[in-house]
Amino acid sequence: MGATTEQAAQQMLSVLEKTVSQNQADQKQAMDYIAAACQQDFPVFVQCLSMILRTQQCQSFVRQAAGLQLKNVLCAKETETRTGYLQRWLQLTAEVREQVKQNVTGTLGTEPSRPSIAAQCVAAIACAELPQNLWPNVISLLKNNVTEAASNEMLKESSLETLGYICQDIDPRVLEGKANDVLTAIIHGMRPEEGSANVRFAATNALLNSLEFTRTNFDNEAERNIIMQVVCESTNSSDQRVKVASLQCLVRIMSLYYEHMLPYMGNALFQITLGAMKSTEAEVAMQGMEFWSTVAEAEFDMYCLYEEDLERGVPNAANSSLKFMEQAAPHVCPVLLEAMAHHDDGDDDDDWTPAKAAGVCLMLASQCVRDDIVNYVIPFFKHFQNPDWKYKEAAIMAFGSILDGPDPKKLMPMAQEALPAIVAAMCDKNVNVRDTAAWALSRVIDTCSELANNAELLQSVLPVLSNGLHQEPRVAVNVCWALVSLVKACYESAVCSGTDGSGQPDTFALSSVFDPMVNELIKITDRADGNQSNLRITAYEALMELIKHSPKDCYSAVRNTTVVILKKLESLLQMEAQAASEADKAQVRDLQAMLCATLQSVTRKMQPNDIPAVGEHIMHGLLQIMNRATATRSNAVMEEALLAVACLAEHLGKGFINYMPVLKPYLLESLSNTDETQVCAAAVGLVTDLSRALEVDIMPFMDELIQKLIFCLQAPKLDRNVKVVIIGTFADIAMAIETQFERYLNTVVPILNDAQNAAVVTDPNDDDQTDYVDKLREACLNSYTGIIQGFKAAPDVAATRQMVKIFVEPIVALILRVSSMEPVPPSESLLATTAGIIGDLVNLYENEIVRFFTADNVTQMLQRGRKSKVSKTKSMATWATKEIKKFSTNGAAGFNFNR
């Protein structure tokens, strides 16, 4: 390091001392200097910081400050910033980078404080360089630091911390070739012979972070045995940190390498985790429960996959579950039930406790074990009558937790027997019991919906629910959901009894009390403590569900609710203007968003003859809300308002045209708001709904809308799934404006062409990618279909053929790509869309085009479609096949794309 750099380091040293100054002006001046130094000469800046970090003569806090500043210019959470930092580091000369690396690795083991800041710096550089095939010896250097006899405790600990950070942050594929060195260091640090608990803890944490890229080692039985032995031994550590981290490793191992666990379950894992669940140390107990939750989830997923394979007729379908949960349940469940009864009255709702972990584990176990869970839990139901509230509450919680597992028919007798005790518990003096009873009641009605038809039950339940709405907010929230469950169950029962063409029943079992229920919920939204436990929002959500599931004879309540909601919207606008604090304003905006959502529910239930008169008031209110949301940048409110407008447009149809001039500014601005995915997506959806509602009348606004949609497609930050929706929106626009879409062909067709060319699967094992490509292809084909259907409105078939001809070539190319079934076959939905457009093209061009669709791939795809169990896919494939056969003749003329 030259004299100039040393002078800069001396200056930086004095500046770093001021970063912890009590004088805010000094502190700000120091931070400004650091930011400027970073910008002016980054190579010197990082050299200075690394030198100060390594210099043991410097004060500890100054070394820490230097390390922190160095780490902060090497890595960041935001992807864009992180990419910029990476490029900046890699652009340094090899000499500068080497100097910094020597300093930070030389600092390992010399810091007096924990955790090591040097470890974070080394890891940040390693994560930047290893993917570029730079610094290839860093892992072996860290391994040697751990395994060499001369290494001190701090050097081993900080080196293991470094390995843990690297494993946590780097793409696992980068380290696959270095897994042996990583594991050698970690296993060495975890050995019982290692005298330092701090080293063992750092090693165990590093193992936890490394497990994803050690599959090769786990596939090797000898290596797997060593790893499992060391981890299992570490669970006996007297140091709780090591014990908890070791149990976390077992949880992750079970999740990643379930198929290898049979030899270890009976000999070690069962006893270790059962013992952990019984521990009085909360963190240890919760990891034992997490282990069995992981087992239950894995085995339930395997069972679901097996059932799906059976349904699809997969040959030799088999359940790959090793049935660990089924065998362990008789031993695990009693421990879980006892743990559920051990919690304190003062436990915070947000705190994760053994009692809560036990409840979740029991719920997952019931899904996995199914009917048999009843046998293990029934003895605990004696505590329904226990004077100790903890056991009473645990018994009710256990009952509610197992309902997803057994066959509802098996549950019914038990539910009928338990309900009186649960209803009675709604009046218990302890709030925990009442809260859980309301939750369990909702769960019972959800699972055994036939109970809602029981007049005696309704007679006993309705009064306690009404009373429960006025209890503590946490209780009232669960009562809201119990009401929703009850209304849904009664509505579905009425639907089963018969409806007219609207699909809406004339009446249901709650018609006589429906209006009071709605009024009670509206009152709850005005409670002074409504912001606690999310009660006010929950009451609105419950109100929406009640409106949605209302029969015809409750229509007056729906109509009245509309008036109430509009008045509330008006008052909320005034409240927001008067709100003093940001917290109060945020609360008002949440309510505005919820009221807009409630308006959607009531609009959907409004009768056609009421819509025009009420629609004007609704639109007036929504425009006020959008105006306010625009001024305050309230994105959640704007999203819900746009969705409410879409709902109104759907019901008003062409009558909505009067509102377009005043709506247009808000719609265009929302389409431009590509930084807010949900707002932009709602605006795109509104364009679709307006196209369907207004049809050709939307044409005067279409130039600007198309322009904004293209702007969205070009926006780099907009979520790609929204872009897929936009591609599909062109279908609705084309069908709305029919032949006038020709005006936009030269703009839209190249976009569709670019989109379908980008719709390529590069990794068949990447589910997100294959799903995205499938949806993008379907969106492109849907748009082509919409354009063709729109042009078919022209009476002149020859003119239609001529207009469509300019984009037939990309359509055929996409159809042939889909029909290749490689590298993954199309989804049912994409297959149906593809078959549909094949039929459209053959119907339009007849024998001119049919030869493209007699290819083997297309024939096989359509054959698969005709055998589909999905009715739309089957009917589309059958129709397309008939169209092809109709025009398949030996003398067919060839289609000329250039003609």
Side-chain angles (χ1 to χ4, degrees):
M1 188 178 285
T4 307
T5 308
E6 289 193 3
Q7 289 171 358
Q10 281 299 122
Q11 178 66 25
M12 182 64 72
L13 186 64
S14 63
V15 170
L16 287 169
E17 289 173 350
K18 293 180 181 178
T19 59
V20 293
S21 169
Q22 298 299 312
N23 186 314
Q24 288 191 350
D26 285 349
Q27 196 177 83
K28 183 179 184 305
Q29 189 178 12
M31 297 308 295
D32 289 346
Y33 178 91
I34 289 168
C38 179
Q39 290 295 323
Q40 289 165 11
D41 196 337
F42 185 69
V44 170
F45 180 69
V46 291
Q47 284 179 296
C48 289
L49 290 176
S50 66
M51 188 175 77
I52 295 167
L53 175 63
R54 186 173 186 177
T55 305
Q56 296 185 47
Q57 288 75 21
C58 292
Q59 294 182 74
S60 174
F61 79 88
V62 175
R63 294 177 71 194
Q64 270 195 312
L68 182 63
Q69 294 301 327
L70 181 58
K71 178 191 77 97
N72 287 344
V73 298
L74 293 172
C75 57
K77 289 181 180 178
E78 298 80 12
T79 304
E80 200 173 324
T81 308
R82 187 167 62 246
T83 303
Y85 284 3
L86 172 64
Q87 294 305 318
R88 183 174 63 181
W89 171 259
L90 294 175
Q91 285 166 7
L92 293 172
T93 64
E95 182 184 358
V96 170
R97 286 190 285 107
E98 188 59 36
Q99 179 70 48
V100 175
K101 288 188 287 192
Q102 284 182 11
N103 282 335
V104 292
T105 53
T107 305
L108 294 173
T110 69
E111 298 162 279
S113 57
R114 293 183 172 94
S116 165
I117 190 70
Q120 296 177 53
C121 294
V122 175
I125 297 171
C127 288
E129 295 204 351
L130 283 172
Q132 312 298 323
N133 294 317
L134 300 171
W135 208 8
N137 66 328
V138 63
I139 299 297
S140 59
L141 182 151
L142 294 168
K143 180 195 76 172
N144 293 338
N145 284 352
V146 176
T147 57
E148 286 177 0
S151 296
N152 63 38
E153 177 189 2
M154 290 299 287
L155 179 58
K156 288 192 281 188
E157 182 184 348
S158 58
S159 297
L160 286 163
E161 278 181 28
T162 307
L163 283 171
Y165 293 138
I166 294 171
C167 294
Q168 175 180 283
D169 294 334
I170 207 165
D171 184 336
R173 290 172 293 188
V174 174
L175 285 183
E176 282 175 356
K178 304 179 187 298
N180 288 336
D181 280 351
V182 173
L183 280 174
T184 298
I186 289 171
I187 298 303
H188 188 89
M190 287 180 69
R191 295 171 309 143
E193 295 85 357
E194 172 55 57
S196 166
N198 289 322
V199 172
R200 290 202 305 275
F201 177 55
T204 311
N205 260 337
L207 178 64
L208 183 63
N209 290 327
S210 72
L211 288 167
E212 284 194 31
F213 59 83
T214 54
R215 178 161 291 281
T216 303
N217 306 87
F218 266 86
D219 286 342
N220 181 304
E221 185 180 359
E223 293 182 28
R224 183 171 70 243
N225 286 340
I226 293 170
I227 298 168
M228 292 301 295
Q229 180 181 345
V230 172
V231 176
C232 290
E233 285 173 346
S234 294
T235 61
N236 293 319
S237 172
S238 57
D239 188 290
Q240 188 183 340
R241 297 172 305 157
V242 177
K243 179 178 288 201
V244 171
S246 302
L247 288 164
Q248 288 175 321
C249 286
L250 290 182
V251 173
R252 184 78 60 82
I253 288 168
M254 177 56 75
S255 172
L256 294 169
Y257 306 113
Y258 172 93
E259 70 276 14
H260 292 309
M261 291 300 103
L262 184 59
Y264 313 103
M265 182 58 79
N267 296 331
L269 299 181
F270 173 73
Q271 292 298 337
I272 288 170
T273 53
L274 196 68
M277 288 167 64
K278 296 176 181 178
S279 172
T280 55
E281 296 290 343
E283 289 299 320
V284 174
M286 287 191 291
Q287 288 307 317
M289 293 165 192
E290 184 65 22
F291 177 87
W292 285 104
S293 290
T294 302
V295 171
E297 273 189 292
E299 294 186 341
F300 180 65
D301 288 345
M302 290 172 199
Y303 176 76
C304 291
L305 286 172
Y306 167 63
E307 285 208 317
E308 285 174 19
D309 286 347
L310 286 178
E311 194 174 319
R312 292 202 314 265
V314 173
N316 304 316
N319 185 355
S320 53
S321 170
L322 298 170
K323 301 188 176 178
F324 292 142
M325 191 74 243
E326 190 176 308
Q327 298 171 68
H331 309 281
V332 169
C333 287
V335 181
L336 293 174
L337 292 165
E338 191 63 30
M340 289 167 69
H342 288 80
H343 63 93
D344 296 325
D345 202 358
D347 282 347
D348 192 292
D349 284 348
D350 296 328
D351 289 343
W352 192 240
T353 64
K356 291 175 183 175
V360 170
C361 189
L362 183 66
M363 190 176 292
L364 293 168
S366 75
Q367 293 175 348
C368 188
V369 179
R370 294 180 293 285
D371 287 356
D372 288 346
I373 196 75
V374 174
N375 302 326
Y376 311 135
V377 178
I378 274 184
F380 197 73
F381 292 160
K382 66 185 178 186
H383 294 299
F384 280 154
Q385 309 303 330
N386 196 318
D388 184 337
W389 73 264
K390 294 181 181 180
Y391 277 92
K392 180 187 286 190
E393 193 259 354
I396 297 170
M397 175 67 78
F399 179 79
S401 297
I402 67 164
L403 296 175
D404 285 337
D407 185 327
K409 290 178 182 175
K410 181 161 186 175
L411 283 174
M412 184 62 79
M414 186 175 72
Q416 287 173 324
E417 191 175 335
L419 264 175
I422 294 172
V423 171
M426 292 277 293
C427 302
D428 196 272
K429 63 182 180 181
N430 186 280
V431 64
N432 296 283
V433 175
R434 284 184 274 117
D435 187 23
T436 302
W439 169 80
L441 184 58
S442 173
R443 298 267 298 147
V444 174
I445 297 167
D446 275 341
T447 308
C448 304
S449 56
E450 306 95 286
L451 289 170
N453 292 321
N454 186 320
E456 272 184 50
L457 170 69
L458 291 178
Q459 199 170 356
S460 63
V461 166
L462 288 171
V464 296
L465 290 178
S466 177
N467 178 52
L469 281 174
H470 301 281
Q471 294 181 20
E472 296 88 343
R474 56 184 282 199
V475 178
V477 162
N478 277 318
V479 171
C480 285
W481 292 124
L483 273 175
V484 168
S485 297
L486 191 61
V487 169
K488 279 184 177 179
C490 290
Y491 186 83
E492 285 161 14
S493 174
V495 168
C496 291
S497 299
T499 65
D500 59 16
S502 69
Q504 202 175 347
D506 290 329
T507 187
F508 73 158
L510 296 172
S511 289
S512 61
V513 293
F514 188 82
D515 201 43
M517 279 197 292
V518 168
N519 291 333
E520 284 289 309
L521 285 172
I522 291 172
K523 285 179 189 174
I524 297 304
T525 65
D526 292 325
R527 272 178 58 161
D529 57 0
N531 60 321
Q532 294 178 32
S533 301
N534 216 27
L535 173 58
R536 186 171 286 112
I537 300 295
T538 304
Y540 276 120
E541 288 174 346
L543 183 59
M544 285 190 281
E545 289 296 328
L546 261 65
I547 297 296
K548 181 180 175 182
H549 296 91
S550 59
K552 290 180 181 178
D553 64 350
C554 296
Y555 180 66
S556 61
V558 175
R559 195 169 47 210
N560 294 339
T561 304
T562 310
V563 177
V564 172
I565 297 302
L566 287 170
K567 285 180 180 176
K568 282 181 173 288
L569 269 178
E570 195 173 325
S571 64
L572 277 176
L573 287 167
Q574 295 170 358
M575 283 173 62
E576 187 184 3
Q578 295 164 4
S581 69
E582 278 304 312
D584 289 342
K585 289 177 182 177
Q587 206 173 102
V588 171
R589 287 170 199 154
D590 285 344
L591 284 176
Q592 288 173 350
M594 189 53 65
L595 284 167
C596 288
T598 309
L599 273 179
Q600 294 170 49
S601 293
V602 294
T603 303
R604 288 193 182 97
K605 294 294 277 196
M606 293 295 285
Q607 291 177 0
N609 55 327
D610 285 337
I611 283 284
V614 178
E616 188 172 345
H617 297 292
I618 293 175
M619 195 63 198
H620 176 70
L622 290 173
L623 286 168
Q624 285 184 296
I625 286 289
M626 286 190 283
N627 183 49
R628 190 69 184 167
T630 302
T632 57
R633 307 296 296 170
S634 306
N635 294 310
V637 177
M638 181 59 82
E639 178 197 351
E640 290 297 342
L642 289 168
L643 293 171
V645 171
C647 188
L648 184 61
E650 180 189 337
H651 283 76
L652 283 175
K654 290 197 170 190
F656 191 83
I657 192 66
N658 297 329
Y659 303 114
M660 282 301 295
V662 285
L663 172 66
K664 188 178 79 169
Y666 303 114
L667 177 55
L668 294 178
E669 185 168 336
S670 297
L671 287 169
S672 301
N673 195 0
T674 53
D675 287 343
E676 291 294 333
T677 297
Q678 299 304 320
V679 173
C680 188
V684 171
L686 178 53
V687 173
T688 297
D689 289 320
L690 290 171
S691 300
R692 292 173 180 172
L694 300 176
E695 298 177 348
V696 76
D697 291 350
I698 199 174
M699 196 61 204
F701 307 93
M702 193 47 67
D703 283 1
E704 289 176 282
L705 292 175
I706 291 283
Q707 186 182 358
K708 286 296 181 184
L709 291 174
I710 292 168
F711 167 80
C712 292
L713 289 171
Q714 293 168 341
K717 288 185 179 179
L718 184 60
D719 186 273
R720 64 181 187 178
N721 291 308
V722 179
K723 293 183 179 182
V724 171
V725 175
I726 293 170
I727 294 289
T729 298
F730 292 129
D732 295 286
I733 293 171
M735 291 180 75
I737 63 177
E738 298 179 342
T739 55
Q740 293 188 64
F741 194 82
E742 186 178 11
R743 175 185 179 89
Y744 307 110
L745 278 183
N746 291 334
T747 303
V748 172
V749 169
I751 290 172
L752 296 178
N753 204 12
D754 289 344
Q756 71 183 60
N757 289 336
V760 178
V761 174
T762 55
D763 182 2
N765 297 315
D766 184 340
D767 291 340
D768 287 339
Q769 186 192 71
T770 56
D771 184 53
Y772 168 72
V773 168
D774 193 90
K775 286 178 179 173
L776 182 53
R777 288 176 174 178
E778 185 180 355
C780 290
L781 287 172
N782 269 329
S783 283
Y784 286 131
T785 302
I787 296 169
I788 293 170
Q789 294 291 342
F791 284 170
K792 277 185 175 181
D796 186 349
V797 175
T800 300
R801 289 179 178 178
Q802 199 58 40
M803 284 188 286
V804 172
K805 183 169 284 189
I806 67 168
F807 57 90
V808 167
E809 185 173 4
I811 300 177
V812 171
L814 182 51
I815 290 170
L816 295 178
R817 190 181 299 168
V818 171
S819 66
S820 72
M821 315 290 273
E822 296 292 340
V824 288
S827 64
E828 291 285 339
S829 183
L830 176 55
L831 203 161
T833 303
T834 308
I837 199 167
I838 289 173
D840 284 336
L841 288 174
V842 175
N843 185 264
L844 184 61
Y845 291 104
E846 301 178 352
N847 58 358
E848 281 186 74
I849 202 168
V850 77
R851 67 186 176 86
F852 293 107
F853 307 131
T854 55
D856 289 344
N857 283 347
V858 178
T859 302
Q860 288 167 11
M861 179 188 70
L862 292 175
Q863 186 178 23
R864 178 190 153 193
R866 293 195 302 275
K867 292 179 179 178
S868 173
K869 292 181 179 178
V870 178
S871 59
K872 183 181 177 182
T873 308
K874 186 172 184 175
S875 63
M876 285 288 130
T878 302
W879 174 66
T881 304
K882 286 179 180 177
E883 290 297 303
I884 291 169
K885 284 180 179 177
K886 191 190 303 180
F887 297 106
S888 293
T889 61
N890 293 331
F895 193 95
N896 185 349
F897 290 121
N898 299 313
R899 193 169 61 204

